[in-house]
Amino acid sequence: MNSITEKLLGMISNWNGKYEGAYNIRENGGCAGRQSTEHIKIENKEGAPGLEIRILPGTRGESVSIPACITHGDVDDLVYNDFYIGEDADVLIMAGCGVHTETGEAARHSGIHRFYLGKNSHVIYVEKHVGTGKGSGLRTIDPVTEVYLDEGAVLEMDTAQIGGVDKSTRNTRAELSSNAKLLIRERILTEYDQWARTDFEVTMNGEGAGTDLISRAVARGNSHQEYTSKMIGNGPCSGHSECDAIIADHGTVTAAPALTANHGDAALIHEAAIGKIAGEQILKLRTLGLTEKEAEAKIVEGFLG
Amino acid sequence: MLEIKDIKWSAPGGVNVLKGLSLEVPENKLVVITGPNGGGKTTLAKVIAGLETPDSGSIFLGGEDITKLDVTERAKRGISFAFQQPVRFKGITVRQLIELASGGTLKEDGLCAILSRVGLCAREYIDREVDSTLSGGEIKRIEIASVLARHTKLTIFDEPEAGIDLWSFTSLIDVFESMRSSLKGTLVIISHQERILKIADEIVVIADGKLKDKGSADEILPKLLGSSADCTTCAKKEVYLK
Ligand SMILES: Nc1ncnc2c1ncn2[C@@H]1O[C@H](COP(=O)(O)OP(=O)(O)OP(=O)(O)O)[C@@H](O)[C@H]1O
Ligand SMILES: [Mg+2]
């Protein structure tokens, strides 16, 4: 494993020289380390690059890390990782991605992650994306996340991309059976000429399914972000989505939420707001002795925190 | 310690709000500003803290002309201002706000000491976000706490009692009395509350953008309670409109 990978691992995951629990480190399309455990099996996928990760029913309190790093330009890495989570399991999954290039050549990673959650299982899924290095080579991360939640399953997804990535198309789709819950927290910061697009599509099929989707975005410099969310309620379910964006400098944001209720007891709510940092927020922090710049930085930091 | 000389301020639409207001606030005193709604009290406080720039006139703090200083510079010179309508922040926690105010990280007992003065239990609140999930009374207390955490030489509270329940109101008055007796510093409180007016060293009445009256609590309070100033203003306005 090279030193850039080590540095990226520190930024995108809980790497402290090693991982606790099961892991697979992907480096420039190859494998730089893997470990399965008694309850979590990681194997190569057949017929396509990527992994099959099986978490046995009833596994509790364990974690899997499957970071992917690109450490130089002229790499276009595509990977399919499938997670099968057994009934009643309760685990933490970390799948960060770091892309580094400084030669002026482009570096890209596309991770297609599929999650099949068994009945009453609970997964916390943490995903951090970073881009590093100098030079004009485009750093691109295009994640696709597909989620299938069986009865009573709960997925809490926490995904963040705080600068450094030049171009990103993020696609998240989920299908929920009865009493399944999906909680998504997304944080995106773009600056300079960066561009990010994020699409959510959540279909709630069963009775008692619930979704809470919270997306916060900051677009500054000349950057641009697009947000779309589709929430579809096919049964008695409840869905809430919220998209808040702060724009600064010449940053621009488009938000297009959509709700579809195909059942009389589907309750769907969307809230969206785009705007500059409220002037009174800056003023309040300035009355505490912060400069305007410091106040803005604190507000953004808290907002994306 | 604070001297306000002939301040004029007009609203963006051109309406004259402060019409040549002069006022001297002595050191280590508790001054309560009162007067009818819309009289210009909040505007004056904003002009003092630098949130609004006067059209003319000047402001001196401890002998220094601060008229041209911005909000940050005035805060650093020792002016604190608790907003009448506190600002909410998505993502900033009570702990972070109090720490920003106090100028450094605080241990839990430090946060406890500050928050208990406004009747909040630190453990329940420090990790809450200062957002719309806080009730009106809670955010008001946190606003007051953020100002108490600064220990500056001039502190202005804009209607601190608004939204605070009766039970906590008594302890809030204790806070002001203890600030006056134990700490060095000047307190300016904008208030309509008789119990706050009673503890004032000096009461200032502002109406229609001007200083209307000024004196000790013993002197001013009977006049205010007797005359029911708000109503006559109201009545006059109505007549005028007809
Ligand atoms: N930005 C503004 N634009 C227009 N009018 C304003 C503006 N700011 C203040 N005013 C007006 O100036 C007057 C004084 O307002 P101010 O908030 O200072 O009153 P106040 O004495 O604090 O009243 P209250 O007791 O209700 O808090 C009001 O008539 C208000 O509508
Ligand atoms: Mg006011």
Side-chain angles (χ1 to χ4, degrees):
Chain A
M1 185 189 323
N2 66 48
S3 61
I4 298 171
T5 299
E6 284 230 36
K7 205 176 135 234
L8 291 171
L9 290 179
M11 295 169 79
I12 60 175
S13 67
N14 59 341
W15 173 257
N16 56 1
K18 61 179 173 46
Y19 282 116
E20 315 290 340
Y23 68 85
N24 183 85
I25 302 167
R26 187 175 178 89
E27 184 185 54
N28 300 317
C31 177
R34 175 182 302 176
Q35 177 162 319
S36 294
T37 66
E38 196 187 333
H39 304 118
I40 303 179
K41 310 287 178 207
I42 305 179
E43 275 161 21
N44 282 343
K45 198 179 172 69
E46 278 184 38
L51 305 169
E52 256 184 38
I53 296 139
R54 290 182 187 276
I55 297 170
L56 300 186
T59 303
R60 295 193 156 251
E62 292 193 38
S63 66
V64 200
S65 303
I66 53 145
C69 299
I70 309 288
T71 64
H72 55 76
D74 198 21
V75 176
D76 189 352
D77 183 30
L78 172 69
V79 63
Y80 297 86
N81 294 324
D82 291 343
F83 293 82
Y84 298 91
I85 294 111
E87 289 182 16
D88 296 313
D90 187 349
V91 292
L92 169 66
I93 299 174
M94 271 166 290
C97 173
V99 170
H100 179 95
T101 171
E102 36 188 54
T103 50
E105 291 163 311
R108 173 167 184 247
H109 176 82
S110 318
I112 293 150
H113 291 170
R114 280 189 293 214
F115 294 86
Y116 299 90
L117 272 73
K119 287 189 180 120
N120 300 316
S121 61
H122 176 217
V123 171
I124 295 180
Y125 175 45
V126 181
E127 186 188 53
K128 253 189 220 164
H129 291 164
V130 300
T132 59
K134 293 191 276 289
S136 61
L138 278 193
R139 295 151 196 86
T140 305
I141 302 182
D142 295 327
V144 174
T145 308
E146 282 177 31
V147 178
Y148 302 92
L149 300 179
D150 208 337
E151 281 168 34
V154 178
L155 179 78
E156 296 177 51
M157 175 172 171
D158 195 321
T159 173
Q161 179 182 304
I162 310 296
V165 180
D166 297 298
K167 200 162 175 291
S168 181
T169 307
R170 305 156 63 89
N171 226 303
T172 307
R173 271 188 299 273
E175 281 178 30
L176 281 68
S177 308
S178 54
N179 295 317
K181 301 273 179 275
L182 175 66
L183 311 164
I184 300 179
R185 252 175 108 244
E186 181 188 59
R187 305 280 183 274
I188 301 178
L189 169 77
T190 52
E191 48 198 355
Y192 309 106
D193 292 309
Q194 295 164 4
W195 186 96
R197 176 180 173 94
T198 184
D199 288 298
F200 292 98
E201 184 171 332
V202 179
T203 309
M204 290 180 278
N205 293 318
E207 176 166 0
T211 300
D212 193 22
L213 164 54
I214 295 176
S215 172
R216 288 191 183 165
V218 174
R220 58 187 180 210
N222 291 310
S223 69
H224 178 67
Q225 290 191 38
E226 286 175 21
Y227 167 100
T228 68
S229 72
K230 275 188 205 153
M231 208 182 285
I232 300 151
N234 291 328
C237 61
S238 60
H240 169 251
S241 68
E242 187 181 316
C243 156
D244 263 304
I246 291 178
I247 44 173
D249 314 319
H250 301 288
T252 53
V253 171
T254 304
L259 305 175
T260 304
N262 290 324
H263 189 282
D265 288 316
L268 308 174
I269 299 175
H270 181 80
E271 300 170 74
I274 304 176
K276 282 194 300 205
I277 296 176
E280 59 169 16
Q281 291 185 331
I282 294 174
L283 280 177
K284 168 63 191 174
L285 297 190
R286 291 181 69 199
T287 64
L288 301 179
L290 279 72
T291 63
E292 189 167 347
K293 271 220 156 70
E294 289 165 345
E296 279 175 10
K298 278 288 164 203
I299 293 164
V300 166
E301 182 191 310
F303 184 72
L304 295 174
Chain B
M1 75 114 26
L2 176 72
E3 220 182 317
I4 294 153
K5 291 185 180 166
D6 199 24
I7 291 289
K8 291 186 182 149
W9 185 83
S10 49
V15 180
N16 293 325
V17 174
L18 299 181
K19 304 170 180 173
L21 211 154
S22 300
L23 180 66
E24 235 177 277
V25 177
E27 195 145 345
N28 299 333
K29 290 281 192 275
L30 196 169
V31 174
V32 178
I33 300 180
T34 193
N37 293 137
K41 303 178 295 297
T42 296
T43 307
L44 176 64
K46 287 183 175 172
V47 166
I48 296 169
L51 278 73
E52 296 290 355
T53 309
D55 302 334
S56 64
S58 47
I59 306 161
F60 290 83
L61 182 73
E64 184 195 4
D65 186 347
I66 60 163
T67 320
K68 294 214 161 59
L69 299 187
D70 68 19
V71 181
T72 309
E73 289 165 327
R74 292 190 203 191
K76 287 187 170 152
R77 295 286 197 288
I79 296 181
S80 293
F81 175 44
F83 288 30
Q84 180 171 7
Q85 259 135 11
V87 181
R88 296 177 191 258
F89 297 88
K90 277 191 183 177
I92 293 186
T93 61
V94 171
R95 172 196 281 273
Q96 288 166 333
L97 188 70
I98 303 290
E99 287 184 341
L100 284 175
S102 74
T105 54
L106 288 169
K107 291 220 178 81
E108 196 165 313
D109 53 347
L111 287 159
C112 229
I114 294 165
L115 288 168
S116 63
R117 292 179 75 186
V118 293
L120 296 178
C121 166
R123 207 162 294 154
E124 277 174 39
Y125 285 94
I126 49 177
D127 294 324
R128 294 273 307 263
E129 291 187 11
V130 189
D131 63 10
S132 55
T133 62
L134 290 168
S135 78
E138 286 169 338
I139 186 117
K140 192 75 186 184
R141 289 162 194 237
I142 287 158
E143 176 71 10
I144 294 168
S146 76
V147 159
L148 295 179
R150 298 195 72 221
H151 302 291
T152 46
K153 56 184 175 193
L154 173 66
T155 308
I156 307 167
F157 293 94
D158 195 350
E159 297 196 23
E161 75 275 10
I164 304 275
D165 60 68
L166 275 178
W167 183 80
S168 316
F169 185 60
T170 306
S171 28
L172 193 63
I173 291 193
D174 292 344
V175 168
F176 295 139
E177 289 202 295
S178 83
M179 278 180 89
R180 179 176 51 173
S181 59
S182 67
L183 288 164
K184 277 201 189 153
T186 302
L187 288 180
V188 174
I189 306 177
I190 298 173
S191 178
H192 302 289
Q193 266 291 333
E194 193 181 338
R195 282 169 73 191
I196 291 185
L197 290 162
K198 270 188 183 150
I199 61 166
D201 294 310
E202 194 172 288
I203 294 177
V204 171
V205 183
I206 289 178
D208 195 23
K210 282 177 283 203
L211 184 87
K212 204 183 153 214
D213 209 349
K214 183 179 139 162
S216 68
D218 290 342
E219 210 179 312
I220 305 291
L221 210 46
K223 293 199 226 173
L224 288 175
L225 296 171
S227 74
S228 165
D230 291 23
C231 280
T232 46
T233 321
C234 261
K236 261 187 220 152
K237 270 187 187 159
E238 262 186 36
V239 171
Y240 184 68
L241 283 171
K242 279 174 195 164

